[in-house]
Amino acid sequence: MVPQDATPEHAADSAFDTALLPLDGAAVDVLTAEPRKATAPLTIYDVARHAGVSIASVSRVLNGHATPRPETRDRVLRAVAELGFVPDGAARALSSRLKEIIAVVYRRAPLAPPDDPVFEDESENLAFVDVINRGVQIAAQHRGFDLLLSSVEVDDHTPGPRIANLAGKSDGMLLHDRVLTPSGIVRLADRVPVVTLAGTPTRASVNISGDNIGGMRDLIKHLIEVHHCASIAYLSGHADSPDSVARHRVVRETAAEYDVRVIAGPHWTGEYSATGGARVIRALLDSGTAMPDAIACANDQTALGVLHALQERGYHVPGDVKVTGFDDIPVARHVVPQLTTVRQPIQDLGAMAFDVLYSMISGERPDERQLVLPVQVVVRGSCGCAAESPPSFPRTA
């Protein structure tokens, strides 16, 4: 029984404990059991140690999703050759006891009629999540694995039974932004290996993320040093999102170094969506709130809603207000003005998440619990920088 005064997180943990009762008489502790060294297959961790590089570098070389430095690529390929590492070998060797399926779970907004026809189809357009899942899928297919894709609503605080059911159908699980609490993740790891994306690392799981700290710091410094912004609002994502919380903290810390005012709080809380971003701006303008010099959004989709709401109320971007995002989803360069943002290697995040999970499924004990991929600030028209030149096509009529 869950106590009547239990918090949502306590309720979720209690439900999760019940749901994780062993299916076959005993839970299988994949992460804490000592690997059988005589039969343990080689993994990308072995290659990384042999080459003297990070597993992120090994992942990028093997999957071809990015272009590492030539010397790094040479070291990885040399280590692969010297070790006799075959990427598909572990899956084939373990196939007799593997389902060759991983479960991927992400959070989505509640399915409800849109309050703005402009964003009517957005509930089915999870741009960032979709691109990450594409990276997971490509890497998984390379190893002969399939994906079991599921979602939970953002406000669902008791997804334990569903997650436990998925655990019984898969060899490992990839959980997006705060699907489970850290304590729930630790208990889930008693059943299957767990990797999180945009989450929080635990003693039993690995988290993969972009460089929230470096990316947001560089973006805020650009707004202050280049565009002389004296006030910056942070329009957050979900209140419990680790990425959003980290980005908010960096905005405050960086602005404080320059004695720049930061505006944030409940009235500046979105939901990682264009609908949420537009709703926040409309409510603030309706209440007579003055706009700051710049609005730094938790992600690009929020920024798209902010751009729309400001422009429909007669504000000029970037003349009246500068707007920035985070992620650099494809549409960011096709809006007017083009969106200044922080580019993450989104598909690489998914590919690396699978590679790490695959190593854990193979019996490898991870050396690192938090893996961070580099990001890059991309300046465009929405902050006042020169817009990218559009492609030129010959007239056909």
Side-chain angles (χ1 to χ4, degrees):
M1 292 289 293
V2 179
Q4 291 185 352
D5 59 348
T7 65
E9 286 200 358
H10 288 156
D13 290 346
S14 178
F16 195 67
D17 283 336
T18 302
L20 283 182
L21 289 174
L23 297 179
D24 300 314
V28 178
D29 192 340
V30 178
L31 292 177
T32 58
E34 286 296 324
R36 292 174 292 177
K37 299 183 182 301
T39 59
L42 290 170
T43 70
I44 61 171
Y45 288 95
D46 299 306
V47 176
R49 279 193 291 268
H50 194 78
V53 300
S54 68
I55 67 166
S57 295
V58 175
S59 176
R60 287 194 288 270
V61 171
L62 295 182
N63 286 293
H65 292 306
T67 305
R69 291 180 299 176
E71 57 268 30
T72 300
R73 181 176 182 276
D74 290 343
R75 289 169 68 177
V76 170
L77 294 179
R78 189 181 308 116
V80 167
E82 291 173 355
L83 292 173
F85 175 72
V86 180
D88 286 337
R92 301 283 76 78
L94 296 173
S95 61
S96 62
R97 58 187 178 89
L98 285 181
K99 303 174 183 70
E100 295 188 324
I101 293 174
I102 64 162
V104 180
V105 187
Y106 62 92
R107 294 206 294 179
R108 56 173 171 77
L111 298 177
D115 54 10
D116 188 331
V118 172
F119 307 115
E120 184 173 359
D121 297 325
E122 195 201 8
S123 62
E124 301 302 323
N125 177 23
L126 306 169
F128 180 77
V129 172
D130 292 339
V131 178
I132 279 191
N133 288 345
R134 176 61 175 158
V136 175
Q137 181 185 34
I138 291 173
Q141 288 179 342
H142 181 65
R143 307 277 187 160
F145 274 64
D146 290 314
L147 269 56
L148 180 59
L149 196 63
S150 186
S151 66
V152 297
E153 289 195 359
V154 169
D155 297 326
D156 183 357
H157 297 294
T158 57
R162 291 187 58 202
I163 302 298
N165 185 43
L166 291 171
K169 299 176 180 178
S170 57
D171 300 308
M173 299 196 71
L174 289 177
L175 306 180
H176 281 264
D177 178 66
R178 196 67 172 184
V179 167
L180 285 177
T181 65
S183 57
I185 290 171
V186 170
R187 284 189 290 278
L188 177 62
D190 286 337
R191 288 275 296 279
V192 292
V194 179
V195 170
T196 57
L197 286 151
T200 304
T202 72
R203 62 178 175 79
S205 64
V206 177
N207 184 63
I208 314 289
S209 69
D211 186 0
N212 290 303
I213 295 174
M216 188 58 85
R217 179 186 294 123
D218 290 345
L219 180 63
I220 299 304
K221 288 177 68 174
H222 176 80
L223 290 173
I224 296 171
E225 294 179 354
V226 177
H227 299 292
H228 312 294
C229 294
S231 59
I232 299 174
Y234 178 67
L235 208 166
S236 69
H238 305 309
D240 62 349
S241 166
D243 272 4
S244 183
V245 171
R247 292 167 192 171
H248 182 193
R249 184 178 66 251
V250 174
V251 172
R252 285 196 173 280
E253 292 174 351
T254 307
E257 296 173 10
Y258 294 85
D259 198 26
V260 165
R261 185 166 68 102
V262 172
I263 306 164
H267 297 301
W268 288 89
T269 300
E271 54 195 34
Y272 278 140
S273 70
T275 301
R279 184 185 301 119
V280 167
I281 297 303
R282 288 167 179 155
L284 289 166
L285 292 176
D286 287 344
S287 68
T289 301
M291 290 292 99
D293 293 338
I295 301 174
C297 300
N299 71 337
D300 287 350
Q301 285 181 256
T302 299
L304 298 181
V306 170
L307 286 173
H308 176 78
L310 287 172
Q311 291 168 344
E312 74 175 1
R313 297 297 182 93
Y315 282 77
H316 178 260
V317 178
D320 297 323
V321 185
K322 295 164 177 47
V323 177
T324 65
F326 205 108
D327 292 334
D328 198 26
I329 60 177
V331 73
R333 68 205 69 173
H334 301 305
V335 294
V336 179
Q338 292 178 322
L339 184 63
T340 291
T341 186
V342 178
R343 177 178 295 160
Q344 295 203 82
I346 307 175
Q347 190 163 306
D348 286 355
L349 287 168
M352 181 180 294
F354 175 81
D355 284 341
V356 172
L357 183 62
Y358 176 79
S359 294
M360 295 164 69
I361 291 169
S362 302
E364 184 77 12
R365 188 187 297 272
D367 293 329
E368 302 171 79
R369 297 293 175 178
Q370 173 69 60
L371 300 173
V372 179
L373 272 67
V375 300
Q376 175 188 3
V377 172
V378 180
V379 294
R380 299 189 179 112
S382 71
C383 72
C385 289
E388 292 180 351
S389 299
S392 177
F393 299 101
R395 292 183 62 177
T396 58

